[in-house]
Amino acid sequence: MAHPALLLAFSDHGATVTGDEFTDWYDNEHVPLRVDVPAFLSWTRWKAADGAQPTWAASYDIASYEDTLRPPYTTLAETRSEREARVLRDVGYMERRMYELIESPVLPPAAAFDENKRTRFVRFVSTDVKPSGEDVLNRWYDEEHILMLSKLPGWVRSRRFVLREWSRTGVEGQNDQQPVPRYLAVHEWESVDAVLDPEVRKSFLTPLRAELDTVLTVLHGRTFEYYRHWERK
């Protein structure tokens, strides 16, 4: 059975492409071309809320990873406009990640969850562990961490994914080919005040988290705020 997938893209317009053109291309050409492709189930852009770079993220729920390997999805890259080809060539940073959903026993969404709306904030947390550490990572997320997050004000939903493929391009991006972490957690929030509070974060330092720290090789989180989404008519 095919698992649901997630396409996640991080980007910055760089020095050659202006911010106005980048936004116009993304909002009025790039995303709209994907709205009528059956593999896509949602289309959302986010802007950094943590002061870090890249500044932009786009997330797309996808029916399955297998759907991205055949038309009409593959036709998108084969029929790019002249402008799209130029922007993708000259953009400062473009990182594309494709994930599959991990069907773990995570909690259902909060009562405030509405699949037809977007939360105000999203936090993307990338992790990698030593080969011996996958069981500890899964236990931490499934038995402890997401349960703790769900009790905080503002939490809406958490999902976990495993990487299937990635690419990093752009004038600056092509110079960094450090592999993308294998695991991703996507936490959706209406407010991030509680989860970012230093005292709350201290409460996350449990014995299981200490065990996880012995096998973690990457733990990197980014917080973004809602910018725009699209709907299929």
Side-chain angles (χ1 to χ4, degrees), residues 22-133:
F22 184 72
T23 297
D24 182 68
W25 163 73
Y26 227 121
D27 290 359
N28 299 313
E29 179 177 353
H30 185 70
V31 177
L33 285 173
R34 284 144 180 80
V35 170
D36 290 329
V37 175
F40 287 87
L41 305 177
S42 73
W43 314 259
T44 310
R45 289 192 71 202
W46 310 87
K47 193 168 186 179
D50 54 11
Q53 291 181 319
T55 304
W56 294 96
S59 61
Y60 310 85
D61 286 299
I62 304 289
S64 73
Y65 174 69
E66 287 74 17
D67 282 313
T68 70
L69 305 178
R70 54 179 176 256
Y73 184 98
T74 55
T75 306
L76 292 168
E78 299 165 357
T79 57
R80 286 173 178 155
S81 69
E82 182 178 336
R83 180 171 81 154
E84 176 146 293
R86 176 178 55 80
V87 169
L88 289 173
R89 181 193 68 217
D90 295 342
V91 72
Y93 188 96
M94 182 67 70
E95 181 177 281
R96 176 185 176 276
R97 306 180 182 186
M98 184 66 72
Y99 295 92
E100 269 190 331
L101 182 71
I102 296 176
E103 301 283 4
S104 56
V106 295
L107 291 178
F113 174 71
D114 184 341
E115 64 180 10
N116 296 315
K117 296 181 180 180
R118 304 297 183 270
T119 54
R120 182 179 174 187
F121 295 98
V122 64
R123 185 160 172 82
F124 301 111
V125 181
S126 303
T127 55
D128 249 337
V129 291
K130 299 175 183 177
S132 61

Side-chain angles (χ1 to χ4, degrees), residues 43-225:
W43 314 259
T44 310
R45 289 192 71 202
W46 310 87
K47 193 168 186 179
D50 54 11
Q53 291 181 319
T55 304
W56 294 96
S59 61
Y60 310 85
D61 286 299
I62 304 289
S64 73
Y65 174 69
E66 287 74 17
D67 282 313
T68 70
L69 305 178
R70 54 179 176 256
Y73 184 98
T74 55
T75 306
L76 292 168
E78 299 165 357
T79 57
R80 286 173 178 155
S81 69
E82 182 178 336
R83 180 171 81 154
E84 176 146 293
R86 176 178 55 80
V87 169
L88 289 173
R89 181 193 68 217
D90 295 342
V91 72
Y93 188 96
M94 182 67 70
E95 181 177 281
R96 176 185 176 276
R97 306 180 182 186
M98 184 66 72
Y99 295 92
E100 269 190 331
L101 182 71
I102 296 176
E103 301 283 4
S104 56
V106 295
L107 291 178
F113 174 71
D114 184 341
E115 64 180 10
N116 296 315
K117 296 181 180 180
R118 304 297 183 270
T119 54
R120 182 179 174 187
F121 295 98
V122 64
R123 185 160 172 82
F124 301 111
V125 181
S126 303
T127 55
D128 249 337
V129 291
K130 299 175 183 177
S132 61
E134 292 191 4
D135 179 65
V136 177
L137 179 67
N138 290 332
R139 285 170 47 217
W140 177 66
Y141 267 120
D142 296 344
E143 300 173 12
E144 181 177 284
H145 188 57
I146 294 178
L147 179 61
M148 297 173 73
L149 294 180
S150 73
K151 296 178 179 179
L152 298 177
W155 178 85
V156 175
R157 179 171 66 156
S158 293
R159 294 180 292 166
R160 295 184 59 211
F161 298 87
V162 61
L163 188 71
R164 290 301 304 265
E165 63 177 66
W166 68 277
S167 63
R168 189 179 297 122
T169 58
V171 176
E172 294 124 27
Q174 64 185 343
N175 296 323
D176 176 12
Q177 294 301 309
Q178 179 71 23
V180 167
R182 188 178 181 207
Y183 296 103
L184 176 75
V186 180
H187 306 294
E188 297 168 56
W189 299 85
E190 282 304 323
S191 169
V192 292
D193 293 343
V195 72
L196 297 180
D197 183 280
E199 292 302 314
V200 170
R201 296 181 76 84
K202 285 182 183 178
S203 70
F204 296 164
L205 303 179
T206 63
L208 185 55
R209 172 54 195 266
E211 183 180 356
L212 177 64
D213 283 343
T214 66
V215 296
L216 269 176
T217 57
V218 178
L219 178 61
H220 181 251
R222 291 293 316 277
T223 303
F224 290 82
E225 188 169 4

